[in-house]
Amino acid sequence: MLVSLHLPKTAGTSFLALLESHYGETLLRDYADRPLNRSPWQRCFRAIAGSARLALPQAQLSNFKCVHGHFMPLKYRYLSGSERLQFVAWFRDPVERLASHYHYWQRTYNPLDAGRLHRRVVEERWDLERFCLGVELQNTYSKFLWGFPLARFDFVGITEHYASDVRAFASAFLKQPEPTVALENVNTARDSVHGESEQHYIDDADFRLAVEAHHAADVALYHLALARRADRLARSE
């Protein structure tokens, strides 16, 4: 079983397209949890409860070979009935990810299906600074990875190197040396369609430093992810 964590605005929709093409009907899409739209105790309780439920023998997901979505990976850590669990996640520079997330929520707002936090951001007319320096989205990566260390992931990709990293993933995990590489659900005015570079959303140096300080835990996780990638590349030489 491959467990693919879709952290918001890290090319998860593009990665989903690759997984869909490979796994077909054996892919489970899990987007119901909405961790960012829940209080800390609700978010953690649901992850623990989900983990306990999926650890029971009767909870086997025998019809699926892959799960992908917005959930806390702790939920699947002890999944019953799977001989080998492999976890994968993509990380992006936290400052750029935040700004991309902000603009995405502005572009796609639909009051009929938006989550509680999404509604607040749009209806209360948060500006980018309020979005980036508020407590609601502080250290988003750390919120998702509560109770689940980065070292537990079998593959860590970097969104800024999506094209090359997705090829490395597909070759090692899907046995596809030349997968279709395309970015979906992107802001074409900013995000590179090639996945190797992009224009910066935030160029103001002081603002960037303030955001990095406010999200220090996520910045540290991102640097660990970069180190994981560097080690992977070194081993492949």
Side-chain angles (χ1 to χ4, degrees):
M1 169 73 82
L2 179 73
V3 180
S4 172
L5 170 61
H6 179 180
L7 293 163
K9 302 310 296 173
T10 60
T13 302
S14 303
F15 193 57
L16 172 59
L18 172 66
L19 298 177
E20 286 175 334
S21 68
H22 182 80
Y23 289 103
E25 295 183 356
T26 65
L27 170 69
L28 173 64
R29 299 160 188 80
D30 184 356
Y31 282 92
D33 288 359
R34 289 187 164 183
L36 294 181
N37 284 283
R38 304 187 186 279
S39 68
W41 77 265
Q42 287 176 325
R43 181 169 58 241
C44 296
F45 176 79
R46 285 176 65 90
I48 294 171
S51 178
R53 176 174 54 83
L54 291 172
L56 298 174
Q58 59 266 35
Q60 293 183 26
L61 302 179
S62 57
N63 293 329
F64 299 100
K65 296 181 180 179
C66 178
V67 58
H68 174 89
H70 292 320
F71 49 78
M72 295 170 68
L74 175 63
K75 177 180 179 179
Y76 290 97
R77 185 169 187 174
Y78 305 107
L79 178 64
S80 175
S82 180
E83 294 182 2
R84 174 94 193 279
L85 287 173
Q86 294 179 304
F87 289 85
V88 58
W90 292 80
F91 290 82
R92 180 180 183 180
D93 171 73
V95 178
E96 294 299 308
R97 194 214 66 78
L98 273 164
S100 178
H101 197 167
Y102 173 78
H103 290 292
Y104 174 71
W105 270 6
Q106 297 292 334
R107 293 196 313 273
T108 63
Y109 180 61
N110 181 346
L112 298 179
D113 61 11
R116 175 183 55 84
L117 183 57
H118 192 174
R119 289 198 301 272
R120 282 191 62 197
V121 169
V122 176
E123 295 176 7
E124 294 177 12
R125 298 185 178 182
W126 291 12
D127 60 14
L128 181 60
E129 182 175 353
R130 169 68 179 87
F131 186 88
C132 291
L133 298 181
V135 298
E136 294 84 356
L137 288 153
Q138 186 177 20
N139 292 315
T140 293
Y141 293 156
S142 303
K143 286 180 169 64
F144 274 87
L145 267 60
W146 180 81
F148 197 95
L150 185 68
R152 179 62 184 81
F153 286 94
D154 298 273
F155 183 90
V156 173
I158 301 297
T159 305
E160 290 87 346
H161 301 284
Y162 183 77
S164 57
D165 279 5
V166 79
R167 290 189 181 95
F169 167 82
S171 178
F173 289 80
L174 307 182
K175 308 308 178 186
Q176 294 182 13
E178 292 297 330
T180 300
V181 178
L183 283 178
E184 301 186 14
N185 201 23
V186 299
N187 180 354
T188 55
R190 293 277 183 174
D191 299 323
S192 168
V193 296
H194 301 295
E196 293 294 341
S197 63
E198 61 183 19
Q199 297 178 349
H200 289 302
Y201 280 95
I202 297 177
D203 291 317
D204 183 277
D206 290 337
F207 184 33
R208 176 173 284 273
L209 286 174
V211 176
E212 288 178 342
H214 190 63
H215 299 268
D218 273 10
V219 171
L221 277 172
Y222 178 65
H223 284 292
L224 284 175
L226 288 173
R228 286 281 303 272
R229 180 178 189 269
D231 288 343
R232 169 167 51 82
L233 293 177
R235 291 195 304 269
S236 66
E237 290 180 352

